[in-house]
């Protein structure tokens, strides 16, 4: 039997949605040709799903309810202990509602400044700089389950622009114990906007090769 390793089930699931199956999901095995460390493995399992006529706010409610109920079903409680290296331990409260923070205001609060002196590797794009700042200053505050929302439109290229806040997109990431556990967005369905974003990504990649 011929076997194929894949990096994501995205195309196959979206094909089903376009074909008329409004809600689809898959628990699947994925493979990435990347390095391995404490939080990354070249072979891993995810649950990926798509839901027509829903947005990130519907999915935030769904993820919050799903994960907190699974924790309670498995452990009998909504509070758990998480042990990490060097004997450090976190007490985690999975009960809803989860903490929800807006990226830019929370980043300013976490750093105490609107301008920071932080070293970055090129290319020094706004998206890469923001992602680095969030990783250094915001993710460290996310021990209990936390949604980070309010991503600038320049960051996730597949996320739809925000319905009421210009410059932002409908995208969130969920973190527990300082690590990402979910990444979700309202799907961009404007082909002209999508083309412009892909062209900008290609332009930035060319800039990176120039360094």
């Amino acid at each position: 039997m011929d076997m194929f390793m894949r990096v994501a089930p995205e195309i196959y699931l979206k094909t089903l949605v376009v074909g008329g199956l409004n809600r689809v999901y898959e628990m699947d095995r994925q493979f990435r040709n990347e390095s391995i460390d404490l939080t990354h493995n070249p072979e891993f399992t995810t649950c990926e799903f798509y839901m027509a006529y829903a947005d990130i706010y519907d999915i935030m409610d769904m993820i919050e309810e799903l994960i907190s109920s699974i924790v309670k079903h498995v452990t009998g409680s909504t509070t758990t202990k998480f042990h990490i290296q060097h004997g450090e331990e976190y007490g985690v409260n999975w009960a809803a509602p989860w903490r929800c923070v807006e990226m830019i205001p929370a980043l300013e609060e976490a750093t105490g400044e609107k301008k920071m002196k932080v070293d970055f590797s090129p290319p020094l794009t706004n998206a890469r700089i923001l992602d680095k700042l969030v990783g250094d200053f915001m993710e460290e505050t996310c021990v209990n389950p936390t949604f980070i929302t309010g991503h600038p439109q320049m960051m996730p290229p597949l996320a739809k622009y925000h319905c009421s806040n210009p410059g932002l997109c409908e995208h969130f990431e969920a973190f527990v114990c300082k690590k990402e556990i979910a990444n979700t967005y309202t799907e961009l369905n404007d082909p002209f906007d999508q083309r412009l974003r892909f062209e900008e990504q290609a332009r930035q990649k060319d800039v990176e090769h120039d360094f």
Side-chain angles (χ1 to χ4, degrees):
M1 178 187 295
D2 290 335
M3 304 292 289
F4 299 90
M5 295 190 295
R6 62 183 181 180
V7 299
E10 178 178 346
I11 298 299
Y12 312 102
L13 294 178
K14 286 181 178 177
T15 300
L16 292 173
V17 173
V18 171
L21 296 177
N22 290 338
R23 299 185 182 187
V24 295
Y25 77 94
E26 182 178 342
M27 298 185 67
D28 53 77
R29 208 67 171 162
Q30 299 182 34
F31 305 87
R32 303 275 174 88
N33 186 21
E34 298 175 354
S35 58
I36 187 171
D37 58 35
L38 288 175
T39 59
H40 296 85
N41 192 39
E43 178 183 349
F44 57 97
T45 301
T46 66
C47 176
E48 186 159 336
F49 65 93
Y50 293 86
M51 182 177 175
Y53 311 112
D55 60 20
I56 60 165
Y57 304 103
D58 299 305
I59 305 304
M60 287 172 74
D61 291 341
M62 182 182 295
I63 288 178
E64 185 180 74
E65 179 182 356
L66 174 67
I67 295 180
S68 61
S69 63
I70 288 174
V71 170
K72 186 170 184 179
H73 178 77
V74 172
T75 69
S77 173
T78 55
T79 59
T80 62
K81 298 289 186 181
F82 182 72
H83 302 273
I84 58 175
Q85 286 182 319
H86 313 301
E88 191 173 356
E89 180 182 275
Y90 295 136
V92 183
N93 183 357
W94 301 84
W98 290 2
R99 174 177 173 238
C100 184
V101 296
E102 291 281 332
M103 177 183 289
I104 301 303
L107 188 56
E108 291 178 1
E109 180 181 351
T111 60
E113 301 283 348
K114 290 192 176 183
K115 294 183 179 181
M116 297 295 296
K117 294 181 179 180
V118 180
D119 293 329
F120 299 93
S121 59
L124 301 182
T125 63
N126 290 336
R128 283 173 60 91
I129 291 173
L130 277 172
D131 187 62
K132 181 70 163 58
L133 288 172
V134 169
D136 286 355
F137 294 100
M138 286 185 63
E139 293 176 14
E140 290 298 306
T141 71
C142 302
V143 175
N144 284 327
T146 302
F147 293 119
I148 296 180
T149 64
H151 291 65
Q153 197 168 319
M154 70 187 78
M155 295 185 72
L158 300 177
K160 193 171 186 177
Y161 43 83
H162 200 281
C163 61
S164 59
N165 293 324
L168 301 182
C169 60
E170 295 193 352
H171 175 255
F172 75 81
E173 295 169 292
F175 289 83
V176 179
C177 294
K178 307 179 183 180
K179 304 299 179 184
E180 180 189 305
I181 64 167
N183 185 358
T184 299
Y185 47 87
T186 305
E187 191 83 29
L188 178 62
N189 57 3
D190 182 337
F192 302 103
D193 189 357
Q194 185 72 85
R195 182 186 181 93
L196 291 174
R197 295 195 197 185
F198 282 154
E199 288 174 347
E200 175 61 17
Q201 273 197 325
R203 188 191 67 78
Q204 292 183 10
K205 187 175 181 180
D206 291 339
V207 171
E208 182 174 5
H209 289 162
D210 290 339
F211 280 88

